[in-house]
Amino acid sequence: MQSISGINIRGMCSDVKLEKTINQVTLLGRVGSEPQKKGNNEHPVVMFSLATHSNYKYGNGDFVQRTDWHRICIFKPSLRETVLNYLKRGQRILVIGKINYGEFKDLEGQTKASTAVIAEEVVFFQMA
């Protein structure tokens, strides 16, 4: 058995190089839309939007807050059901997951790019 970067490999060519990569996102923000169940019975997904803010100062000293909106998708069955049943618009949450880039066809057949965060963990904070 051969070991590359801490990963054991059986039956693979010795010229194959595996390396560890990281795709991890941590977001702390407020839910912008009620979670919705989409997909089908075989491939259900729960989706909602999450707002995060960046604060910066203009040259004249005025502070400005910029809002970024993130599309959150949940595939894990138990997490999907918990979010669908208990998450509410405006609630403050922490999301840990990974970025996913993809494409879809709109109603006119045009290919559009899409970006989403695939949530692995969601931590609920008390509603204020």
Side-chain angles (χ1 to χ4, degrees), residues 71 99-104 111-116:
R71 185 164 38 133
I99 295 177
N100 179 270
Y101 299 100
E103 294 179 339
F104 67 95
T111 301
K112 303 279 186 175
S114 72
T115 304

mmCIF file of all heavy atoms in Angstrom, residues 71 99-104 111-116:
data_model
loop_
_atom_site.group_PDB
_atom_site.id
_atom_site.type_symbol
_atom_site.label_atom_id
_atom_site.label_comp_id
_atom_site.label_asym_id
_atom_site.label_seq_id
_atom_site.Cartn_x
_atom_site.Cartn_y
_atom_site.Cartn_z
ATOM 1 N N ARG A 71 -26.797 32.277 -1.629
ATOM 2 C CA ARG A 71 -27.796 31.217 -1.773
ATOM 3 C C ARG A 71 -27.276 29.997 -1.024
ATOM 4 O O ARG A 71 -26.199 29.490 -1.312
ATOM 5 C CB ARG A 71 -28.025 30.876 -3.240
ATOM 6 C CG ARG A 71 -29.137 29.861 -3.397
ATOM 7 C CD ARG A 71 -29.647 29.776 -4.811
ATOM 8 N NE ARG A 71 -28.578 29.905 -5.769
ATOM 9 C CZ ARG A 71 -28.419 29.106 -6.808
ATOM 10 N NH1 ARG A 71 -29.249 28.118 -7.025
ATOM 11 N NH2 ARG A 71 -27.431 29.284 -7.643
ATOM 12 N N ILE A 99 -18.364 26.103 -1.183
ATOM 13 C CA ILE A 99 -18.848 26.815 -2.357
ATOM 14 C C ILE A 99 -19.021 25.826 -3.494
ATOM 15 O O ILE A 99 -18.182 24.952 -3.705
ATOM 16 C CB ILE A 99 -17.865 27.920 -2.781
ATOM 17 C CG1 ILE A 99 -17.774 28.986 -1.696
ATOM 18 C CG2 ILE A 99 -18.294 28.552 -4.100
ATOM 19 C CD1 ILE A 99 -16.782 30.079 -2.006
ATOM 20 N N ASN A 100 -20.130 25.995 -4.230
ATOM 21 C CA ASN A 100 -20.401 25.154 -5.381
ATOM 22 C C ASN A 100 -20.714 26.058 -6.566
ATOM 23 O O ASN A 100 -21.551 26.951 -6.458
ATOM 24 C CB ASN A 100 -21.584 24.222 -5.087
ATOM 25 C CG ASN A 100 -21.918 23.347 -6.252
ATOM 26 O OD1 ASN A 100 -22.723 23.723 -7.097
ATOM 27 N ND2 ASN A 100 -21.296 22.197 -6.316
ATOM 28 N N TYR A 101 -20.020 25.836 -7.674
ATOM 29 C CA TYR A 101 -20.262 26.587 -8.901
ATOM 30 C C TYR A 101 -20.929 25.658 -9.909
ATOM 31 O O TYR A 101 -20.568 24.492 -10.002
ATOM 32 C CB TYR A 101 -18.949 27.105 -9.492
ATOM 33 C CG TYR A 101 -18.206 28.034 -8.566
ATOM 34 C CD1 TYR A 101 -17.146 27.575 -7.805
ATOM 35 C CD2 TYR A 101 -18.582 29.361 -8.446
ATOM 36 C CE1 TYR A 101 -16.466 28.419 -6.942
ATOM 37 C CE2 TYR A 101 -17.909 30.219 -7.586
ATOM 38 C CZ TYR A 101 -16.851 29.739 -6.844
ATOM 39 O OH TYR A 101 -16.182 30.574 -5.991
ATOM 40 N N GLY A 102 -21.900 26.168 -10.630
ATOM 41 C CA GLY A 102 -22.585 25.339 -11.606
ATOM 42 C C GLY A 102 -23.232 26.187 -12.679
ATOM 43 O O GLY A 102 -23.014 27.400 -12.761
ATOM 44 N N GLU A 103 -24.036 25.529 -13.502
ATOM 45 C CA GLU A 103 -24.764 26.196 -14.569
ATOM 46 C C GLU A 103 -26.185 25.658 -14.626
ATOM 47 O O GLU A 103 -26.435 24.532 -14.189
ATOM 48 C CB GLU A 103 -24.097 25.933 -15.927
ATOM 49 C CG GLU A 103 -22.731 26.523 -16.065
ATOM 50 C CD GLU A 103 -22.108 26.210 -17.426
ATOM 51 O OE1 GLU A 103 -22.546 25.242 -18.079
ATOM 52 O OE2 GLU A 103 -21.206 26.943 -17.817
ATOM 53 N N PHE A 104 -27.091 26.463 -15.155
ATOM 54 C CA PHE A 104 -28.463 26.020 -15.375
ATOM 55 C C PHE A 104 -28.990 26.737 -16.613
ATOM 56 O O PHE A 104 -28.418 27.738 -17.045
ATOM 57 C CB PHE A 104 -29.348 26.300 -14.154
ATOM 58 C CG PHE A 104 -29.569 27.763 -13.889
ATOM 59 C CD1 PHE A 104 -30.699 28.408 -14.371
ATOM 60 C CD2 PHE A 104 -28.645 28.500 -13.154
ATOM 61 C CE1 PHE A 104 -30.898 29.763 -14.127
ATOM 62 C CE2 PHE A 104 -28.847 29.854 -12.907
ATOM 63 C CZ PHE A 104 -29.979 30.480 -13.400
ATOM 64 N N THR A 111 -27.873 29.532 -21.008
ATOM 65 C CA THR A 111 -27.081 28.972 -19.918
ATOM 66 C C THR A 111 -26.636 30.093 -18.993
ATOM 67 O O THR A 111 -26.090 31.102 -19.446
ATOM 68 C CB THR A 111 -25.849 28.221 -20.470
ATOM 69 O OG1 THR A 111 -26.313 27.178 -21.324
ATOM 70 C CG2 THR A 111 -25.026 27.632 -19.348
ATOM 71 N N LYS A 112 -26.889 29.924 -17.718
ATOM 72 C CA LYS A 112 -26.536 30.916 -16.698
ATOM 73 C C LYS A 112 -25.636 30.272 -15.663
ATOM 74 O O LYS A 112 -25.791 29.099 -15.328
ATOM 75 C CB LYS A 112 -27.791 31.438 -15.986
ATOM 76 C CG LYS A 112 -28.829 32.034 -16.888
ATOM 77 C CD LYS A 112 -28.484 33.425 -17.246
ATOM 78 C CE LYS A 112 -29.624 34.048 -18.044
ATOM 79 N NZ LYS A 112 -29.401 35.416 -18.330
ATOM 80 N N ALA A 113 -24.713 31.051 -15.129
ATOM 81 C CA ALA A 113 -23.835 30.569 -14.061
ATOM 82 C C ALA A 113 -24.567 30.667 -12.728
ATOM 83 O O ALA A 113 -25.403 31.551 -12.530
ATOM 84 C CB ALA A 113 -22.559 31.403 -14.014
ATOM 85 N N SER A 114 -24.265 29.752 -11.817
ATOM 86 C CA SER A 114 -24.861 29.817 -10.488
ATOM 87 C C SER A 114 -23.784 29.521 -9.447
ATOM 88 O O SER A 114 -22.854 28.759 -9.696
ATOM 89 C CB SER A 114 -26.021 28.838 -10.342
ATOM 90 O OG SER A 114 -25.540 27.515 -10.281
ATOM 91 N N THR A 115 -23.928 30.158 -8.309
ATOM 92 C CA THR A 115 -23.034 29.943 -7.183
ATOM 93 C C THR A 115 -23.886 29.725 -5.950
ATOM 94 O O THR A 115 -24.868 30.441 -5.742
ATOM 95 C CB THR A 115 -22.118 31.167 -6.953
ATOM 96 O OG1 THR A 115 -21.402 31.432 -8.160
ATOM 97 C CG2 THR A 115 -21.141 30.921 -5.827
ATOM 98 N N ALA A 116 -23.543 28.735 -5.152
ATOM 99 C CA ALA A 116 -24.291 28.447 -3.930
ATOM 100 C C ALA A 116 -23.329 27.958 -2.864
ATOM 101 O O ALA A 116 -22.220 27.515 -3.160
ATOM 102 C CB ALA A 116 -25.354 27.387 -4.190
#
